[in-house]
Amino acid sequence: MASVQPALPFDHFSGKLSRKERIVMRTRNGNMHAYAIRNPYTGPLAESRKRAISTFSEAVRLCKAEMADPDRLAYWQDRYIQYRKSAAKHVARANTRFLGVPSDKFYSTLRGFIIASLSAQLKSNQ
């Protein structure tokens, strides 16, 4: 993945420049990246993929509501601080403890952590 250092006046890019473009721009953790989409799948979506997409979109919607409420945001911030301390020792154990999912993925942002937590709750309720 290429790292992009844009010149002024273009200090923030997001998405594609056109609908048929295969180069996508994004910003992650303050760094801008450009990546190319190779061999995109154009067929129909499987039912399991549709469920995964709807679960994720529901988690994002719930995350937005949680972050808008100051009390819930404070709860999530405390929980995220605990998660980061635990993940510094062992990421998989921290994910199992806080998300219920044994994974080696470290959630570097509060928003990502909240979405992952809510997604895990939604999947367990299905």
Side-chain angles (χ1 to χ4, degrees):
M1 184 166 28
S3 180
V4 176
Q5 299 293 328
L8 294 175
F10 306 106
D11 58 350
H12 180 73
F13 285 109
S14 177
K16 299 190 243 181
L17 297 176
S18 69
R19 191 171 77 179
K20 293 184 180 181
E21 181 69 42
R22 293 200 171 208
I23 297 176
V24 180
M25 309 294 284
R26 70 178 179 190
T27 303
R28 293 290 185 260
N29 298 323
N31 296 322
M32 190 169 298
H33 301 278
Y35 64 97
I37 298 174
R38 295 188 183 136
N39 304 320
Y41 180 72
T42 57
L45 294 176
E47 289 301 317
S48 60
R49 191 73 203 124
K50 288 179 185 177
R51 278 194 309 275
I53 290 169
S54 66
T55 301
F56 180 76
S57 62
E58 179 68 15
V60 170
R61 187 187 64 74
L62 290 172
C63 175
K64 187 175 180 181
E66 292 279 315
M67 291 183 81
D69 182 11
D71 294 332
R72 293 298 295 165
L73 181 60
Y75 163 78
W76 284 109
Q77 287 172 335
D78 290 341
R79 193 162 166 82
Y80 184 62
I81 289 170
Q82 294 171 1
Y83 167 76
R84 287 182 63 110
K85 287 179 184 175
S86 180
K89 296 175 187 167
H90 198 279
V91 176
R93 283 189 199 139
N95 286 337
T96 302
R97 179 177 167 210
F98 288 94
L99 307 175
V101 179
S103 167
D104 287 335
K105 177 168 176 39
F106 174 71
Y107 295 96
S108 60
T109 63
L110 175 64
R111 183 176 181 271
F113 174 74
I114 295 172
I115 291 172
S117 299
L118 295 172
S119 292
Q121 289 174 5
L122 290 171
K123 286 178 187 176
S124 69
N125 291 341
Q126 288 180 347

